[in-house]
Amino acid sequence: MMIAIAPRQRITPMSQLAFYIATAHYISFFSGTMLQTSTKLPWSPCRSVSCPATHNCIQSPGIATVPHTGHKKVLVTGAAGFIGSHVASSLIERGDEVIILDEMNDSDELKSKQGKLKLLHEKARELARLTDRRGEDVLTFYDGGVNNHDLMIDIFERHTPKWICHLEEKAGGALIVEPPLHVRANVEGTANMLEYSRMFNATNVVIISSTNVCGDSHNEPFSPYAATKRSAELISYTYHKLFGLRVTNLRSFSVFGPRGRLDVLDKLISRVSRGEAIEFYGDGTSKCDYTYIDDIVAGVQRALDRPYPFQIFNLGRGSGTIFSKIISLVEKYVGKRGILNQTGAQLGGVHFADVDVSKARKLLGFSSSVSVEKGVELMVKWYNESLIGGFAM
């Protein structure tokens, strides 16, 4: 497999302009000005119920497009992350040429990222052997991020990818920490990716968004992370409107599965297995639409293959599960009782019980196929196997 070392970053006037525009969008959320005009945009409703037309979650009408089924050259950013590694693996498996990009300088996640990349390289080598293809025609890895101008130009000029999965982000969920880092990664990074896609005439751009953009009943983001993801949706709409770029944003809801990002379920399984105390927010009755990673990957593939002019889709099961039920499922498949320590409500937390996936079902043919219980069972099995195999969580 080819491994390219990222050259030193150079910020161009275009990326600076994109950053200023993106930051203005971000700031506008907290001033309330963006909410006055956004009802005209084709947002997807966050909930199955209680979605008044005065809110900016109006479902746009649409006709299902015919999927592109041919071979693709796909650029996947954030490919050593949770969702990114699973998406890249699925694209390799179906025979696409995949160019993957991720920054390997995050000390907290470096070991986990290296483990994910190792699995991707192993899959690519095996497929290359079986299909008599060169390794670089299956998978090429670059160490770097989308805000590295020289690297991105080199990738687009060298590989000319026409299909883009932009999954790189600074995750944060409800955490009220480091807003500038979220702006740089989620807002400026998305703006730069859209600009490169425009410059090199990309056929379709799929961007991972988040449940957190939906916020409260008035669709107001609760955290800096949520505001940056909502800003990215607005910027992508701007690129579609001004330049005709085809962009689809996917709002993923409470994704869980193997090789996760040490989120709620990962920690829950780990601590129950080791007999450690579990701290959880609230009284256990909060509901989330927990969605297994394989369903999200299927949604990403379906969106990638269907280049709509501009769309936002919710990807979830369409029904919520209370947290106490999740705990009982983990206890069932781990085979141990958990030690529970209840804490107060989480600042900036967003929970959705009944996510509206009707538009994704209609226009993408998307439906969840893995139950929450089956997903927990599979995840516990992977956790036990990873302890034997030495895979880093």
Side-chain angles (χ1 to χ4, degrees), residues 27-46:
I27 292 171
S28 73
F29 280 114
F30 293 104
S31 67
T33 56
M34 187 62 68
L35 296 174
Q36 298 172 10
T37 59
S38 56
T39 52
K40 297 179 181 180
L41 303 186
W43 302 120
S44 179
C46 300

